[in-house]
Amino acid sequence: MKILDSLSNLFSTKTSATNKLLTMFLANGANPPKDQREVDLAKEGYNQTGIAYACVREIATAFGGIKWGLFRNRGGEREKVLDHPMLNLWNRPNDWQGNSAFLQAIASYYLISGNSYIEAATNAVGIPQYLYTLRPDRMTVIPDSINRIAGYKFSKGGQGMPFVNGEILHFKDFHPTNDWYGLSPISVAAMSIDSYRNQQRWNSGLLENSARPSGIITYEDDLSPESLNNIREEFQSKFSGAKNANKPMILEGGKMKWEQMAFNAKELDFVNSQNLSALQIAQIFNLPPELVGLQPSTYQNRREARKALYTENVLPMADRFRDDFNNWLPQMFNEPDLYFEPD
């Protein structure tokens, strides 16, 4: 009976029967489809949009502030481990990041890209010595017809660095239409972010004109194209912009008239429109709006909002990360009975 069990285990597989089908339609040597807007989404959606930056930073900072412990499973009992190389690695992943900064980077990449990658730099016998976060836009999944993923490739400046499967932890969000990469919250919020940025440009342009709309200059005589350009350039240099706000306007010759254009009530409602776009962005990140100044807050409701941030956002994300991380790092130390847990 033991012989039959051994033969069964030998020929059994844990791989999905769909792996071959998933890779069959990729061209020879081609990589799985990936959102090519990653850099643009990061620059425009995070670097240049204040509300999205505030949402990501609020969640990632909270995630980085969670205290974790290393535990060992002994016959179903949980035993806390106070001294172990894996715990030392966790507390100081690399030479320029402590644990909090490391976790904050993981969460930030995850929230911006939907993907976060961790590299385990190992010694000669395969034991991790350092952990590094890697930019998602530089990472590519290498497909495999049996195991689905053969490894990963880090690319920069036309050069690539391959990693075999197991050297990289790929922490990704759920994506309903992509088998390889996570869904970026920034891409989900892209329309609201574009609307928010356009409203900011509107506000900026309005302030440049001293909160007055533009107008029309009329002239009784016909003007040549050159004269029109000269008048337009002179008018813009003398009367446009914040530094020229409220300057008296003198129109020479008596044949030139200025007709002011007016805003209607709907156009003047840009403040409410911008607030609505900001609220939509916060909702996509599942962040209480009180924490990023989108709603009036008191000590009490801000306290409740911060509690909701942890229970509905940060801790569920920590649970997903814990499961992926515990399936990865302890195996590399050949100690599957060890696991990390928020302490």
Side-chain angles (χ1 to χ4, degrees):
M1 191 68 178
K2 289 184 177 180
I3 295 176
L4 292 176
D5 289 341
S6 298
L7 288 173
S8 176
N9 291 334
L10 179 65
F11 291 103
S12 66
T13 177
K14 294 181 181 179
T15 61
S16 170
T18 64
N19 289 343
K20 189 170 184 178
L21 186 62
L22 284 173
T23 57
M24 182 184 300
F25 294 99
L26 295 174
N28 187 29
N31 296 316
K34 183 180 183 183
D35 194 336
Q36 300 301 317
R37 303 172 301 159
E38 276 187 301
V39 174
D40 291 336
L41 288 172
K43 285 182 178 179
E44 296 180 16
Y46 176 75
N47 296 6
Q48 300 172 10
T49 306
I51 185 62
Y53 171 86
C55 290
V56 171
R57 185 170 179 82
E58 187 75 29
I59 299 168
T61 301
F63 185 84
I66 296 175
K67 302 304 178 185
W68 297 70
L70 180 63
F71 300 90
R72 186 185 300 275
N73 185 6
R74 288 193 182 276
E77 296 293 327
R78 188 173 89 158
E79 176 185 282
K80 189 168 185 177
V81 178
L82 300 177
D83 185 23
H84 192 277
M86 192 158 61
L87 183 62
N88 297 335
L89 180 62
W90 174 264
N91 290 331
R92 194 186 182 202
N94 54 65
D95 288 339
W96 57 81
Q97 281 181 314
N99 176 261
S100 181
F102 178 71
L103 290 174
Q104 187 173 337
I106 291 169
S108 296
Y109 283 137
Y110 179 81
L111 293 166
I112 296 168
S113 166
N115 302 274
S116 200
Y117 300 86
I118 305 173
E119 174 198 355
T122 62
N123 59 16
V125 295
I127 302 300
Q129 303 298 298
Y130 296 99
L131 299 176
Y132 299 100
T133 56
L134 303 175
R135 272 178 49 173
D137 61 292
R138 293 176 175 166
M139 297 298 293
T140 304
V141 175
I142 301 173
D144 183 79
S145 60
I146 297 176
N147 299 310
R148 185 172 296 191
I149 297 175
Y152 296 86
K153 183 172 72 173
F154 178 90
S155 301
K156 170 66 176 170
Q159 303 295 316
M161 172 67 70
F163 294 94
V164 299
N165 198 16
E167 294 178 319
I168 298 291
L169 172 62
H170 183 185
F171 178 46
K172 63 178 182 175
D173 202 1
F174 172 73
H175 197 313
T177 59
N178 194 309
D179 298 291
W180 315 91
Y181 299 99
L183 179 61
S184 163
I186 293 285
S187 70
V188 176
M191 188 173 294
S192 296
I193 287 174
D194 285 344
S195 178
Y196 181 86
R197 284 166 54 80
N198 288 335
Q199 288 151 1
Q200 280 192 314
R201 293 189 188 99
W202 167 275
N203 296 351
S204 178
L206 189 62
L207 290 173
E208 282 289 312
N209 288 315
S210 189
R212 294 193 181 99
S214 60
I216 300 173
I217 298 176
T218 59
Y219 203 82
E220 292 182 5
D221 298 332
D222 293 334
L223 296 175
S224 66
E226 182 180 357
S227 297
L228 282 172
N229 286 333
N230 290 338
I231 292 173
R232 183 184 296 111
E233 291 174 3
E234 184 176 3
F235 186 85
Q236 288 177 342
S237 65
K238 289 183 177 180
F239 302 109
S240 295
K243 66 179 180 180
N244 295 318
N246 298 315
K247 277 187 177 181
M249 184 186 301
I250 300 175
L251 303 179
E252 300 176 358
K255 297 181 179 181
M256 193 180 298
K257 294 182 180 179
W258 168 261
E259 296 180 19
Q260 179 117 352
M261 297 172 63
F263 290 128
N264 59 41
K266 186 176 181 180
E267 290 173 324
L268 287 170
D269 198 32
F270 57 82
V271 173
N272 289 335
S273 298
Q274 188 172 23
N275 286 343
L276 178 60
S277 296
L279 281 169
Q280 290 171 338
I281 295 168
Q283 287 171 350
I284 289 169
F285 281 101
N286 195 23
L287 183 73
E290 295 88 349
L291 298 180
V292 285
L294 295 179
Q295 288 185 0
S297 63
T298 63
Y299 174 81
Q300 184 60 32
N301 68 10
R302 188 174 177 84
R303 181 180 177 183
E304 292 300 314
R306 185 155 297 280
K307 183 178 178 181
L309 168 66
Y310 277 91
T311 57
E312 299 176 16
N313 192 325
V314 176
L315 292 179
M317 183 168 67
D319 288 342
R320 296 193 298 272
F321 174 74
R322 174 203 62 200
D323 294 342
D324 287 358
F325 196 80
N326 286 334
N327 284 334
W328 178 63
L329 192 67
Q331 319 303 321
M332 300 187 77
F333 278 86
N334 297 315
E335 298 210 45
D337 59 330
L338 290 176
Y339 60 94
F340 286 95
E341 187 84 25
D343 191 8

mmCIF file of all heavy atoms in Angstrom, residues 198-213:
data_model
loop_
_atom_site.group_PDB
_atom_site.id
_atom_site.type_symbol
_atom_site.label_atom_id
_atom_site.label_comp_id
_atom_site.label_asym_id
_atom_site.label_seq_id
_atom_site.Cartn_x
_atom_site.Cartn_y
_atom_site.Cartn_z
ATOM 1 N N ASN A 198 -8.156 68.343 -13.919
ATOM 2 C CA ASN A 198 -8.681 69.375 -14.817
ATOM 3 C C ASN A 198 -9.313 70.516 -14.035
ATOM 4 O O ASN A 198 -9.190 71.694 -14.410
ATOM 5 C CB ASN A 198 -9.704 68.758 -15.771
ATOM 6 C CG ASN A 198 -9.059 67.871 -16.819
ATOM 7 O OD1 ASN A 198 -7.878 68.047 -17.152
ATOM 8 N ND2 ASN A 198 -9.808 66.919 -17.344
ATOM 9 N N GLN A 199 -9.990 70.175 -12.942
ATOM 10 C CA GLN A 199 -10.591 71.219 -12.109
ATOM 11 C C GLN A 199 -9.516 72.047 -11.415
ATOM 12 O O GLN A 199 -9.673 73.256 -11.231
ATOM 13 C CB GLN A 199 -11.537 70.582 -11.093
ATOM 14 C CG GLN A 199 -12.820 70.064 -11.721
ATOM 15 C CD GLN A 199 -13.427 68.895 -10.983
ATOM 16 O OE1 GLN A 199 -12.906 68.448 -9.962
ATOM 17 N NE2 GLN A 199 -14.532 68.377 -11.496
ATOM 18 N N GLN A 200 -8.414 71.402 -11.053
ATOM 19 C CA GLN A 200 -7.306 72.162 -10.473
ATOM 20 C C GLN A 200 -6.716 73.138 -11.491
ATOM 21 O O GLN A 200 -6.374 74.273 -11.150
ATOM 22 C CB GLN A 200 -6.222 71.202 -9.968
ATOM 23 C CG GLN A 200 -6.518 70.579 -8.619
ATOM 24 C CD GLN A 200 -5.299 69.882 -8.056
ATOM 25 O OE1 GLN A 200 -4.605 69.138 -8.759
ATOM 26 N NE2 GLN A 200 -5.026 70.110 -6.789
ATOM 27 N N ARG A 201 -6.584 72.674 -12.734
ATOM 28 C CA ARG A 201 -6.069 73.562 -13.786
ATOM 29 C C ARG A 201 -7.038 74.730 -14.007
ATOM 30 O O ARG A 201 -6.607 75.872 -14.225
ATOM 31 C CB ARG A 201 -5.883 72.781 -15.087
ATOM 32 C CG ARG A 201 -4.791 71.714 -15.028
ATOM 33 C CD ARG A 201 -4.533 71.139 -16.417
ATOM 34 N NE ARG A 201 -3.642 69.992 -16.356
ATOM 35 C CZ ARG A 201 -4.055 68.735 -16.383
ATOM 36 N NH1 ARG A 201 -5.351 68.470 -16.491
ATOM 37 N NH2 ARG A 201 -3.195 67.746 -16.332
ATOM 38 N N TRP A 202 -8.328 74.437 -13.975
ATOM 39 C CA TRP A 202 -9.342 75.486 -14.114
ATOM 40 C C TRP A 202 -9.178 76.526 -13.010
ATOM 41 O O TRP A 202 -9.159 77.726 -13.264
ATOM 42 C CB TRP A 202 -10.729 74.848 -14.086
ATOM 43 C CG TRP A 202 -11.876 75.808 -13.910
ATOM 44 C CD1 TRP A 202 -12.366 76.294 -12.738
ATOM 45 C CD2 TRP A 202 -12.645 76.407 -14.952
ATOM 46 N NE1 TRP A 202 -13.422 77.140 -12.971
ATOM 47 C CE2 TRP A 202 -13.621 77.229 -14.325
ATOM 48 C CE3 TRP A 202 -12.639 76.310 -16.348
ATOM 49 C CZ2 TRP A 202 -14.545 77.957 -15.043
ATOM 50 C CZ3 TRP A 202 -13.576 77.036 -17.057
ATOM 51 C CH2 TRP A 202 -14.511 77.853 -16.416
ATOM 52 N N ASN A 203 -9.072 76.046 -11.780
ATOM 53 C CA ASN A 203 -8.914 76.959 -10.647
ATOM 54 C C ASN A 203 -7.657 77.797 -10.783
ATOM 55 O O ASN A 203 -7.653 79.000 -10.523
ATOM 56 C CB ASN A 203 -8.850 76.169 -9.339
ATOM 57 C CG ASN A 203 -10.139 75.441 -9.050
ATOM 58 O OD1 ASN A 203 -11.138 75.638 -9.729
ATOM 59 N ND2 ASN A 203 -10.120 74.571 -8.052
ATOM 60 N N SER A 204 -6.563 77.127 -11.196
ATOM 61 C CA SER A 204 -5.291 77.836 -11.336
ATOM 62 C C SER A 204 -5.389 78.912 -12.415
ATOM 63 O O SER A 204 -4.929 80.048 -12.225
ATOM 64 C CB SER A 204 -4.187 76.836 -11.679
ATOM 65 O OG SER A 204 -2.954 77.499 -11.866
ATOM 66 N N GLY A 205 -6.017 78.550 -13.545
ATOM 67 C CA GLY A 205 -6.176 79.530 -14.615
ATOM 68 C C GLY A 205 -7.060 80.691 -14.201
ATOM 69 O O GLY A 205 -6.812 81.845 -14.562
ATOM 70 N N LEU A 206 -8.095 80.385 -13.421
ATOM 71 C CA LEU A 206 -8.989 81.435 -12.954
ATOM 72 C C LEU A 206 -8.267 82.396 -12.014
ATOM 73 O O LEU A 206 -8.407 83.617 -12.112
ATOM 74 C CB LEU A 206 -10.193 80.809 -12.249
ATOM 75 C CG LEU A 206 -11.343 81.748 -11.871
ATOM 76 C CD1 LEU A 206 -11.953 82.370 -13.114
ATOM 77 C CD2 LEU A 206 -12.398 80.995 -11.077
ATOM 78 N N LEU A 207 -7.457 81.846 -11.122
ATOM 79 C CA LEU A 207 -6.702 82.688 -10.197
ATOM 80 C C LEU A 207 -5.658 83.519 -10.928
ATOM 81 O O LEU A 207 -5.349 84.648 -10.537
ATOM 82 C CB LEU A 207 -6.031 81.813 -9.129
ATOM 83 C CG LEU A 207 -6.985 81.167 -8.127
ATOM 84 C CD1 LEU A 207 -6.241 80.192 -7.229
ATOM 85 C CD2 LEU A 207 -7.682 82.220 -7.286
ATOM 86 N N GLU A 208 -5.102 82.954 -11.994
ATOM 87 C CA GLU A 208 -4.145 83.711 -12.799
ATOM 88 C C GLU A 208 -4.795 84.956 -13.388
ATOM 89 O O GLU A 208 -4.126 85.947 -13.648
ATOM 90 C CB GLU A 208 -3.592 82.831 -13.928
ATOM 91 C CG GLU A 208 -2.525 81.849 -13.501
ATOM 92 C CD GLU A 208 -1.229 82.560 -13.159
ATOM 93 O OE1 GLU A 208 -0.781 83.410 -13.956
ATOM 94 O OE2 GLU A 208 -0.673 82.271 -12.084
ATOM 95 N N ASN A 209 -6.100 84.890 -13.605
ATOM 96 C CA ASN A 209 -6.828 86.032 -14.144
ATOM 97 C C ASN A 209 -7.572 86.795 -13.056
ATOM 98 O O ASN A 209 -8.602 87.422 -13.323
ATOM 99 C CB ASN A 209 -7.813 85.581 -15.221
ATOM 100 C CG ASN A 209 -7.101 85.154 -16.489
ATOM 101 O OD1 ASN A 209 -6.197 85.838 -16.942
ATOM 102 N ND2 ASN A 209 -7.496 84.024 -17.045
ATOM 103 N N SER A 210 -7.087 86.702 -11.847
ATOM 104 C CA SER A 210 -7.689 87.401 -10.714
ATOM 105 C C SER A 210 -9.151 87.022 -10.523
ATOM 106 O O SER A 210 -10.005 87.860 -10.242
ATOM 107 C CB SER A 210 -7.571 88.921 -10.895
ATOM 108 O OG SER A 210 -7.965 89.598 -9.719
ATOM 109 N N ALA A 211 -9.439 85.726 -10.725
ATOM 110 C CA ALA A 211 -10.779 85.175 -10.551
ATOM 111 C C ALA A 211 -11.805 85.818 -11.481
ATOM 112 O O ALA A 211 -12.988 85.885 -11.180
ATOM 113 C CB ALA A 211 -11.238 85.296 -9.101
ATOM 114 N N ARG A 212 -11.328 86.341 -12.618
ATOM 115 C CA ARG A 212 -12.246 86.896 -13.612
ATOM 116 C C ARG A 212 -12.120 86.096 -14.899
ATOM 117 O O ARG A 212 -11.020 85.688 -15.274
ATOM 118 C CB ARG A 212 -11.905 88.360 -13.909
ATOM 119 C CG ARG A 212 -12.124 89.292 -12.735
ATOM 120 C CD ARG A 212 -12.071 90.731 -13.219
ATOM 121 N NE ARG A 212 -12.249 91.654 -12.114
ATOM 122 C CZ ARG A 212 -11.238 92.270 -11.502
ATOM 123 N NH1 ARG A 212 -10.005 92.029 -11.878
ATOM 124 N NH2 ARG A 212 -11.486 93.113 -10.512
ATOM 125 N N PRO A 213 -13.219 85.919 -15.613
ATOM 126 C CA PRO A 213 -13.133 85.215 -16.885
ATOM 127 C C PRO A 213 -12.490 86.078 -17.953
ATOM 128 O O PRO A 213 -12.352 87.288 -17.789
ATOM 129 C CB PRO A 213 -14.591 84.921 -17.227
ATOM 130 C CG PRO A 213 -15.339 86.021 -16.571
ATOM 131 C CD PRO A 213 -14.587 86.330 -15.306
#
